[in-house]
């Protein structure tokens, strides 16, 4: 994607218009719905969804491009949405980091860190800041491949100690700082660095880094966002002027939508999800009957071992959690069948929502990129690795204008 503010703004504006005009297809909570909410507005779409098995729906969700082609019969903007979500992966000039430095790093994480580091090119400087560092896996590669002096900010003291011990043992120029990324003191770290980086810092954590960068003006900043819903406010707070002018109002639930774009799960994981969601929806049907309500009732996270005890045991546990007294004559099998049927309905809705997951994520990332561009940075948006390695593969790389 071009560094041009006009190009970023044009892409954002197009996405914003399409997302705003199709909110009925992606906003809202599928668990609330007893049937597809588009029966009247898009009957032929609903008829097609009704013909799809669970396996077929899973296949469509795994291939948004193919899904957009079939949905374009009823949603003419479907393929345009997918096209606006396309982001290139730049070629890296860096040689891969020696695997010697991968000690203790899970294989998938090592690959993510390696490709992220290789994609961060230009405007580096000598003093680097690793934001939300953990044990400093990213920082150690930066110290080795970028010839950098790295400061690693991490909240957990134990992780700082482990990371510092590794750095000292291998004579890496790394200094760990135990601290809160939200504290005012953390801004001073941004002020004293040349290049700040954050790989998969959640929600307001990476937004805080971007805000500090705008104020402190380091030479460059590179961020791969994650967990957009982990914010302190109830609603999403836009950063750029264009996003602030948008008609979209995003709840925390809306912000979870991009995270549902995952690498295709195995059959065992899918089976477990079917059981848990069917149990939850079956219990919801039961509580609606008992409470004479039409509103979905959320239930806390459950220990997965409880699911092995069956639907009745789950209902007893859930009713206790929510203060509901179950009558003795409950026909649990009937409500389980309702839950399994509603699971299919949820999957139909989630299949359509798949079309909007990446576009919404691009919207959110472009808001961040535009914010940096409006505040004195040349900003590039790209992917740093394949979707199979991690669906959270978007990279915002910004270099301060001279």
């Amino acid at each position: 994607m071009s560094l041009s503010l006009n190009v970023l703004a044009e892409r954002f504006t197009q996405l914003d218009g399409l997302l705003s005009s199709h909110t009925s297809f992606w906003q809202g909570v599928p668990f609330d719905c007893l049937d597809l909410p588009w029966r009247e507005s898009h009957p032929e779409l609903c008829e097609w969804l009704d013909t799809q098995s669970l396996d077929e729906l899973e296949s469509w969700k795994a291939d948004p491009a193919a899904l957009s082609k079939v949905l374009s019969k009823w949603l003419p903007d479907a393929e345009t949405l997918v096209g606006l979500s396309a982001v290139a992966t730049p070629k890296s000039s860096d040689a891969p980091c020696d695997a010697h430095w991968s000690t203790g790093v899970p294989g998938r994480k090592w690959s993510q860190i390696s490709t992220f580091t290789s994609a961060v090119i230009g405007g580096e400087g000598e003093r680097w800041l690793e934001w939300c560092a953990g044990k400093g896996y990213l920082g150690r590669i930066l110290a080795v491949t970028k010839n950098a002096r790295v400061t690693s900010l991490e909240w957990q003291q134990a992780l700082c100690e482990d990371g510092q011990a590794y750095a000292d043992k291998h004579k890496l120029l790394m200094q760990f700082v135990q601290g809160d990324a939200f504290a005012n003191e953390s801004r001073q770290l941004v002020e004293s660095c040349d290049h700040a980086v954050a790989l998969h810092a959640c929600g307001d954590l990476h937004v805080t880094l971007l805000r500090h960068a705008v104020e402190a003006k380091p030479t460059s900043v590179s961020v791969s966002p994650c967990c957009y819903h982990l914010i302190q406010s109830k609603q999403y707070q836009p950063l750029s002027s264009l996003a602030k002018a948008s008609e979209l109002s995003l709840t925390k639930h809306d912000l979870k939508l991009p995270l549902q774009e995952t690498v295709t799960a195995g059959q065992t994981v899918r089976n477990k999800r079917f059981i848990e969601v069917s149990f939850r929806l079956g219990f919801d049907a039961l509580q609606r009957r008992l409470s004479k309500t039409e509103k979905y009732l959320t239930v806390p996270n459950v220990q997965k071992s409880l699911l092995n005890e069956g639907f009745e045991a789950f209902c007893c546990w859930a009713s206790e959690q929510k203060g509901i007294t179950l009558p003795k004559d409950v026909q649990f099998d009937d409500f389980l069948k309702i839950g399994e049927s509603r699971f299919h309905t949820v999957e139909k809705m989630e299949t359509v929502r798949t079309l909007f997951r990446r576009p919404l994520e691009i919207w959110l990332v472009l808001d961040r990129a535009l914010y940096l561009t409006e505040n004195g940075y040349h900003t590039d948006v790209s992917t740093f690795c394949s979707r199979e390695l991690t669906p959270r593969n978007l990279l915002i790389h910004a270099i301060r204008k001279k």
Side-chain angles (χ1 to χ4, degrees):
M1 195 177 292
S2 170
L3 301 178
S4 166
L5 173 61
N6 291 336
V7 172
L8 293 173
E10 182 180 0
R11 176 79 68 98
F12 180 89
T13 301
Q14 288 178 289
L15 276 172
D16 184 62
L18 291 175
L19 289 170
S20 299
S21 62
H22 291 85
T23 52
S24 63
F25 290 101
W26 61 271
Q27 285 193 318
V29 183
F31 278 25
D32 285 343
C33 301
L34 300 180
D35 192 13
L36 299 176
W38 322 297
R39 287 286 179 194
E40 293 185 7
S41 61
H42 292 76
E44 293 181 353
L45 168 61
C46 295
E47 289 174 6
W48 176 78
L49 289 168
D50 290 340
T51 68
Q52 303 298 298
S53 68
L54 289 176
D55 286 341
E56 288 171 326
L57 293 174
E58 191 69 27
S59 296
W60 289 121
K61 288 194 293 181
D63 191 349
L67 176 65
S68 70
K69 292 181 179 179
V70 71
L71 290 187
S72 63
K73 299 176 185 177
W74 311 287
L75 301 177
D77 294 320
E79 292 186 85
T80 302
L81 270 169
V82 172
L84 290 172
S85 304
V87 178
T89 301
K91 293 183 178 180
S92 170
S93 60
D94 285 9
C97 185
D98 192 321
H100 163 73
W101 301 103
S102 67
T103 302
V105 186
R108 183 179 292 272
K109 188 65 176 178
W110 170 256
S111 297
Q112 292 173 11
I113 292 171
S114 298
T115 53
F116 177 89
T117 305
S118 296
V120 175
I121 302 172
E124 288 98 335
E126 296 180 356
R127 301 170 302 166
W128 289 63
L129 171 63
E130 182 188 14
W131 193 257
C132 303
K135 292 185 179 182
Y137 294 150
L138 172 60
R140 71 170 70 162
I141 300 183
L142 294 175
V144 172
T145 63
K146 306 292 186 182
N147 196 27
R149 186 180 297 273
V150 180
T151 300
S152 298
L153 173 67
E154 170 53 41
W155 168 248
Q156 297 186 56
Q157 181 66 39
L159 299 184
C160 290
E161 292 173 357
D162 286 349
Q164 192 66 64
Y166 181 93
D168 293 344
K169 178 180 179 180
H170 295 277
K171 296 181 173 53
L172 299 178
L173 294 177
M174 295 180 66
Q175 178 185 1
F176 278 77
V177 175
Q178 189 281 322
D180 183 357
F182 294 124
N184 289 331
E185 292 80 6
S186 297
R187 177 186 165 180
Q188 298 174 6
L189 298 177
V190 183
E191 291 176 344
S192 59
C193 79
D194 298 313
H195 194 150
V197 297
L199 173 58
H200 295 160
C202 294
D204 276 347
L205 287 171
H206 72 256
V207 170
T208 298
L209 173 59
L210 298 182
R211 292 187 182 279
H212 286 340
V214 164
E215 296 173 354
K217 297 179 173 55
T219 301
S220 43
V221 57
S222 304
V223 172
S224 177
C226 187
C227 299
Y228 304 93
H229 64 292
L230 296 180
I231 57 177
Q232 296 170 318
S233 59
K234 292 183 178 180
Q235 299 280 125
Y236 178 67
Q237 302 299 308
L239 296 169
S240 66
S241 58
L242 279 177
K244 289 177 180 178
S246 171
E247 295 180 359
L248 285 181
S249 178
L250 301 174
T251 65
K252 290 183 179 181
H253 183 268
D254 295 330
L255 296 173
K256 290 181 180 180
L257 180 60
L259 307 181
Q260 294 168 5
E261 183 191 7
T262 58
V263 177
T264 303
Q267 189 62 47
T268 301
V269 174
R270 290 168 56 188
N271 290 342
K272 289 181 179 179
R273 179 175 178 272
F274 172 77
I275 292 171
E276 180 172 353
V277 173
S278 295
F279 280 14
R280 289 181 177 276
L281 294 173
F283 173 75
D284 179 62
L286 173 58
Q287 72 85 19
R288 290 188 192 219
R289 180 80 58 85
L290 295 175
S291 304
K292 297 181 180 179
T293 181
E294 295 300 322
K295 187 176 181 180
Y296 176 74
L297 181 66
T298 58
V299 175
N301 291 332
V302 60
Q303 289 187 352
K304 303 307 179 185
S305 58
L306 179 62
L307 301 177
N308 297 328
E309 299 180 25
F311 178 61
E312 182 175 348
F314 176 85
C315 288
C316 292
W317 169 82
S319 60
E320 182 179 346
Q321 297 295 313
K322 307 305 292 189
I324 297 174
T325 301
L326 295 179
K328 296 181 180 180
D329 60 347
V330 174
Q331 300 297 313
F332 289 102
D333 287 346
D334 293 343
F335 289 101
L336 177 56
K337 290 178 181 177
I338 294 173
E340 291 173 347
S341 176
R342 284 182 59 189
F343 177 86
H344 203 155
T345 299
V346 167
E347 289 300 279
K348 295 173 192 175
M349 294 184 65
E350 291 293 2
T351 299
V352 176
R353 282 159 56 87
T354 295
L355 183 67
F356 299 91
R357 288 174 186 166
R358 191 64 160 185
L360 178 58
E361 182 169 20
I362 297 295
W363 187 98
L364 292 165
V365 167
L366 287 176
D367 178 29
R368 289 150 172 75
L370 284 165
Y371 172 67
L372 292 171
T373 304
E374 291 170 355
N375 286 279
Y377 282 87
H378 290 293
T379 311
D380 183 47
V381 175
S382 63
T383 57
F384 65 90
C385 68
S386 68
R387 177 178 175 272
E388 288 72 26
L389 187 56
T390 172
R392 306 282 72 77
N393 62 354
L394 290 170
L395 169 64
I396 303 168
H397 182 53
I399 301 175
R400 185 158 52 88
K401 299 174 184 176
K402 297 181 179 180

